[in-house]
């Protein structure tokens, strides 16, 4: 008997299809399995981990402390997993993802090496038809996007790229076997977080390293090191309590925060505060004062402090000047570095300013910028991502009446709570545009969204509803609110990937919700307890049944009024770092 004959027929009908097996898709799958629903996950990569599967470039690590960048849904998992460093490196985060996949037996429902190409809502049957590049055609009541916010790599189409005889890499698609740059002449394009992490390590191997910089970025030292065992034990002694404190903070992770206004402090006091927070390092540096991202004059003081730090490290004043940003501090995502600026004191590292004249072209043997040809054996594109919506654009998503998501979002994404969008029933987005997502600790953001969705799906089962879809007026109001809050923050003022400005031709819209994680969570809770306010549930037999808050129960967050006063919340001035 041949093996084909005994292989069970592939299931083609599911309760839910999940797109992506990163931290979002994995947790969604785990919850649906627990609920006893059938789910199929499709994942383009060869294994779990999402961002941490793809971004294997040298030096890749998270900019949220490891004790806080992990799932919180399972108390035993919290206790048993041990991080080796304060900010653990990519291989360890990927090992954690693999551990979770094994521990909760997730892989049985995941199809790897399979890209979803299309998802079409069938209005007659009230289900989604999902197609893949491997020939799958399956249907499901729910289509759940767990595609990540920074997954669609952006490689600018430089002239002559095809002629280049060396190797070209993108940090977001790094070869699994690693790359040995020993003795080579390397070019790197970009100076965002990925570049800032990888440059010091590539510089150690390369014979020469040429950095092509279009916009300098601010970076604060990570002061990474081995995990402090006492700190770990202290947190593990009351992990739920620590998680609850973190959830109450504007960004969903905990660190000391000084809510006072910058200019209330004298120049000496300010300097002391900046030094104190610099010594802690990382993103929490932005917690030195409460208004740094609201008041330009306040921001000028921190920007100048950071520029002085750069000048104190970089020996050559001309290079130091080129490395000093002149825009709002923290407007683009703040970078967290380990020996980044120091590298420019090395004689084999060169900084090329391409801010006034873009890179001209690749040649067979290198790259031409400012009319000079730089001979290179390999080029690393640390050129970022089509953020927030890029992964949606890659899939042909068709909702009611033939409306495609790309058409609907032509002028920028429109969602209700970043969870769902009008015209696309039973279509959920985990950390979609319009939710805190990239402006909050990613894993709690994922968990809160998934828990909300699982309660919602359970409620639909309870009342016999076929579909759920937001109403246009609630979606419009939410989009207006997301835009209004973003305009209060200085963050909306620069050309960052938050507004899609890193890629020519994308609409300029501030995509994540900057009103604060606990404020957002409270809103989601209210929407649920008000009977899914702003949504229409079709086909429900029992329209009076109140939603049961089960999974979402753990998200009854307190608002940390030490950091966010009710007045600040009302004014949209929640200090999201
Ligand atoms: O990408 P980026 P990234 N010619 O978009 C430049 C997260 N992350 O991968 O600023 C020349 O920030 C571009 O220049 P400009 C984190 O949220 C986290 O580094 O557009 N240069 C910029 O310098 C982060 O913010 C971690 O003028 C060109 C760079 O390429 C996000 O991912 C680590 C160019 C792209 O920077 C994205 O970071 C890594 C061109 N044509 C990433 N096109 C941690 O957890 C683009 N550039 C620490």
């Amino acid at each position: 008997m041949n093996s084909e004959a005994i292989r069970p027929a592939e299931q083609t009908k599911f309760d839910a299809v999940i797109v992506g097996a990163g931290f979002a898709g994995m947790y969604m799958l785990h919850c649906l399995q627990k609920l006893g629903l059938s789910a199929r996950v499709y994942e383009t990569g060869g294994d779990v981990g999402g961002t941490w599967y793809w971004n294997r470039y040298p030096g890749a690590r998270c900019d949220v402390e490891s004790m806080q960048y992990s799932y919180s849904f399972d108390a035993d998992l919290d206790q048993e997993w041990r991080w080796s460093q304060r900010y653990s490196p990519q291989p360890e985060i990927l090992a954690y993802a693999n551990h979770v996949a094994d521990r909760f037996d997730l892989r049985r429902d995941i199809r790897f090496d399979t890209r979803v190409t299309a998802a079409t809502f069938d209005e007659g049957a009230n289900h989604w038809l999902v197609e893949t590049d491997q020939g799958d055609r399956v249907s499901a009541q729910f289509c759940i996007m767990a595609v990540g916010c920074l997954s669609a790599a952006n490689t600018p189409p430089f002239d002559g790229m095809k002629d280049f005889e060396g190797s070209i890499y993108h940090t977001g698609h790094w070869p699994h076997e690693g790359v040995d740059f020993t003795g080579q002449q390397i070019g790197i394009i970009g100076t965002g977080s990925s570049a800032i992490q990888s440059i010091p390590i590539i510089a150690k191997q390369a014979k020469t390293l040429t950095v092509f910089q279009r916009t300098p970025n601010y970076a604060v030292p990570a002061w990474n090191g081995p995990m402090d065992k006492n700190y770990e034990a202290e947190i593990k002694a009351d992990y739920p309590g620590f998680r609850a404190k973190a959830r109450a903070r504007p960004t969903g992770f905990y660190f000391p925060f000084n809510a006072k206004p910058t200019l209330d402090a004298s120049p000496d006091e300010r300097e002391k505060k900046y030094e104190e927070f610099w010594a802690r390092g990382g993103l929490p540096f932005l917690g030195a004062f409460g208004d740094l991202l609201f008041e330009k004059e306040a921001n000028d003081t921190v920007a100048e402090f950071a520029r002085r730090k750069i000048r104190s490290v970089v020996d050559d004043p001309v290079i130091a000047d080129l490395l000093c940003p002149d825009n709002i501090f923290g407007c683009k995502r703040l970078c967290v570095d380990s020996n980044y600026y120091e590298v420019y004191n090395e004689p084999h590292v060169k900084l090329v300013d391409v801010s006034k004249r873009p890179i001209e072209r690749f040649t067979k043997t290198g790259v031409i910028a400012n009319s000079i040809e730089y001979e290179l054996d390999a080029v690393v594109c640390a050129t970022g991502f089509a953020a927030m919506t890029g992964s949606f654009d890659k899939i042909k998503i068709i909702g009611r009446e033939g409306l495609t998501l790309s058409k609907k979002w032509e002028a920028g994404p429109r969602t209700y709570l970043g969870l769902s969008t009008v015209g696309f029933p039973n279509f959920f987005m985990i950390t979609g545009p319009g939710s805190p997502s990239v402006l909050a600790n990613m894993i709690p953001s994922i968990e809160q969204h998934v828990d909300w969705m699982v309660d919602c799906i359970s409620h639909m089962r309870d009342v016999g509803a076929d579909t759920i879809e937001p109403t246009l007026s609630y979606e419009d109001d939410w989009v207006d609110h997301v835009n209004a809050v973003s305009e209060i923050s200085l963050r909306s003022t620069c050309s960052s990937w938050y507004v899609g400005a890193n890629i020519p031709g994308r609409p300029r819209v501030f995509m994540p919700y900057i009103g604060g994680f606990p404020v957002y969570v409270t809103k989601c809770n209210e929407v649920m307890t008000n009977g899914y306010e702003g949504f229409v549930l079709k086909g429900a037999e029992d329209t009076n049944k109140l939603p049961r808050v089960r999974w979402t129960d753990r998200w009854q967050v307190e608002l940390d009024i030490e950091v966010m006063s009710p007045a600040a919340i009302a004014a949209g001035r929640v200090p999201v770092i």
Side-chain angles (χ1 to χ4, degrees), residues 41-341:
V41 181
Y42 290 112
E43 165 57 53
T44 308
D47 210 334
V48 296
T51 287
W52 303 104
Y53 174 87
W54 296 106
N55 285 267
R56 299 172 188 238
Y57 61 83
R61 64 181 76 247
C62 190
D63 55 7
V64 173
E65 283 189 4
S66 293
M67 290 307 290
Q68 305 200 51
Y69 189 81
S70 55
Y71 287 124
S72 64
F73 68 87
D74 188 280
D76 293 337
L77 177 65
D78 259 357
Q79 291 299 325
E80 77 196 14
W81 185 264
R82 302 203 61 182
W83 298 105
S84 69
Q85 297 179 29
R86 181 178 178 195
Y87 296 99
S88 292
Q90 171 272 332
E92 203 167 312
I93 305 174
L94 186 59
Y96 174 74
N98 276 281
H99 171 75
V100 172
D102 293 339
R103 195 182 190 287
F104 297 98
D105 191 18
L106 299 180
R107 286 195 176 80
R108 64 190 152 103
D109 290 322
I110 308 177
R111 295 293 173 271
F112 295 108
D113 300 308
T114 306
R115 175 181 286 284
V116 169
T117 51
T120 310
F121 186 68
D122 179 333
E123 288 181 68
N126 279 333
H127 68 207
W128 285 88
L129 178 69
V130 176
E131 298 166 67
T132 76
D133 65 353
Q134 299 301 308
D136 305 84
R137 280 173 66 82
V138 300
S139 67
Q141 185 183 4
F142 298 98
C143 180
I144 300 169
M145 303 299 284
V147 290
C149 297
L150 293 157
S151 311
N154 164 47
T155 304
F158 295 107
D159 282 349
M161 248 173 152
K162 284 202 182 73
D163 305 331
F164 184 57
E165 288 175 350
S167 307
I168 299 176
Y169 305 96
H170 190 286
T171 47
H173 281 287
W174 204 255
H176 288 200
E177 63 282 8
V179 185
D180 182 4
F181 290 125
T182 307
Q184 295 189 17
Q185 307 201 88
I186 307 302
I188 182 161
I189 303 174
T191 47
S193 296
S194 304
I196 282 177
Q197 287 187 329
S198 54
I199 283 169
I201 311 216
I202 295 176
K204 277 193 191 138
Q205 288 181 356
K207 183 172 153 204
T208 63
L209 177 62
T210 306
V211 179
F212 297 92
Q213 173 185 273
R214 189 164 70 180
T215 316
N217 253 310
Y218 295 102
V220 176
W223 308 125
N224 190 33
M227 177 61 71
D228 177 336
K229 299 279 186 300
N230 294 331
Y231 179 62
E232 181 189 8
E234 199 185 307
I235 288 177
K236 286 192 172 179
D238 179 19
Y239 227 142
F242 182 66
R243 301 274 197 201
K245 257 177 26 175
R247 281 176 197 150
R249 285 298 175 102
T251 24
F253 66 105
Y254 188 82
F255 54 87
F257 194 97
N258 169 38
K260 297 210 174 84
T262 312
L263 300 182
D264 281 7
S266 70
D268 279 358
E269 286 165 349
R270 263 201 314 267
E271 190 74 7
K272 246 176 106 186
K273 203 42 97 186
Y274 287 144
E275 286 293 355
E276 179 192 329
F277 275 70
W278 192 263
R280 291 203 191 104
L283 300 178
F285 175 70
L286 265 167
F289 289 100
D291 57 355
L292 290 174
L293 286 169
F294 296 112
E295 301 297 337
K296 170 80 169 57
E297 252 187 278
N299 195 281
D300 286 345
T301 67
V302 74
E304 192 45 42
F305 176 86
R307 285 190 286 264
R308 266 188 278 125
K309 286 287 183 193
I310 296 170
R311 292 194 181 104
S312 73
V313 174
V314 179
D315 297 338
D316 182 333
V318 177
I319 302 293
D321 264 356
L322 281 178
L323 288 166
C324 282
D326 59 7
N327 59 2
I328 299 289
F329 184 90
C331 190
K332 290 184 177 226
R333 170 81 166 205
L334 188 60
C335 300
V336 178
D337 82 290
S338 296
N339 304 317
Y340 173 62
Y341 294 110

Side-chain angles (χ1 to χ4, degrees), residues 287-558:
F289 289 100
D291 57 355
L292 290 174
L293 286 169
F294 296 112
E295 301 297 337
K296 170 80 169 57
E297 252 187 278
N299 195 281
D300 286 345
T301 67
V302 74
E304 192 45 42
F305 176 86
R307 285 190 286 264
R308 266 188 278 125
K309 286 287 183 193
I310 296 170
R311 292 194 181 104
S312 73
V313 174
V314 179
D315 297 338
D316 182 333
V318 177
I319 302 293
D321 264 356
L322 281 178
L323 288 166
C324 282
D326 59 7
N327 59 2
I328 299 289
F329 184 90
C331 190
K332 290 184 177 226
R333 170 81 166 205
L334 188 60
C335 300
V336 178
D337 82 290
S338 296
N339 304 317
Y340 173 62
Y341 294 110
E342 288 81 349
V343 99
Y344 292 98
N345 294 333
E346 305 268 340
H348 70 301
V349 178
K350 195 176 286 161
L351 182 66
V352 177
D353 175 19
V354 292
S355 64
K356 291 171 197 76
R357 290 171 63 190
I359 288 172
E360 278 156 48
R361 55 178 294 110
F362 279 55
T363 64
K364 273 185 180 181
T365 51
V367 164
I368 301 180
N370 303 324
S371 306
I372 297 167
E373 178 166 5
Y374 296 89
E375 273 202 21
L376 301 169
D377 298 308
V379 175
V380 174
C381 292
T383 41
F385 303 90
M388 308 290 297
T389 56
S391 298
F392 290 88
D393 294 341
K394 288 185 171 178
I395 303 171
K396 190 164 187 191
I397 299 166
I398 307 175
R400 279 193 293 108
E401 297 167 15
L403 177 68
T404 62
L405 191 67
S406 51
K407 179 78 190 155
K408 176 172 175 180
W409 286 5
E410 221 171 19
R414 301 189 71 80
T415 70
Y416 181 39
L417 300 171
L419 286 162
S420 58
T421 184
V422 176
F424 299 80
N426 293 355
F427 181 81
F428 288 127
M429 294 165 273
I430 305 175
T431 65
S435 75
S437 55
V438 288
L439 293 176
N441 189 357
M442 212 57 195
I443 298 188
S445 291
I446 285 168
E447 288 187 304
Q448 182 263 338
H449 260 192
V450 170
D451 288 345
W452 191 96
M453 288 168 197
V454 174
D455 263 346
C456 176
I457 291 171
S458 305
H459 177 69
M460 289 176 70
R461 297 277 149 134
D462 285 352
V463 299
D466 298 320
T467 61
I468 183 166
E469 187 185 338
T471 65
L472 192 57
S473 64
Y474 275 80
E475 178 171 294
D476 287 347
D477 286 352
W478 182 252
V479 171
D480 288 350
H481 175 62
V482 171
N483 289 335
V485 179
S486 77
E487 280 163 21
I488 296 166
S489 167
L490 292 171
R491 262 215 172 109
S492 60
T493 59
C494 65
S495 295
S496 65
W497 57 256
Y498 293 130
V499 296
N502 60 325
I503 298 177
R506 295 193 98 202
R508 190 182 172 107
V509 176
F510 196 89
M511 291 181 279
Y513 177 60
I514 198 166
F517 181 69
V519 178
Y520 171 82
V521 172
T522 305
K523 172 78 182 167
C524 289
N525 292 344
E526 279 168 15
V527 165
M528 176 177 287
T529 48
N530 291 343
Y532 295 95
E533 188 181 353
F535 287 95
V536 174
L537 277 78
K538 281 205 178 135
E541 289 144 15
D542 184 353
T543 46
N544 293 323
K545 195 164 189 164
L546 286 177
R548 284 190 289 159
V549 179
R550 286 167 290 192
W551 301 72
T552 316
D553 200 34
R554 66 192 180 112
W555 297 99
Q556 304 300 323
V557 293
E558 296 289 321

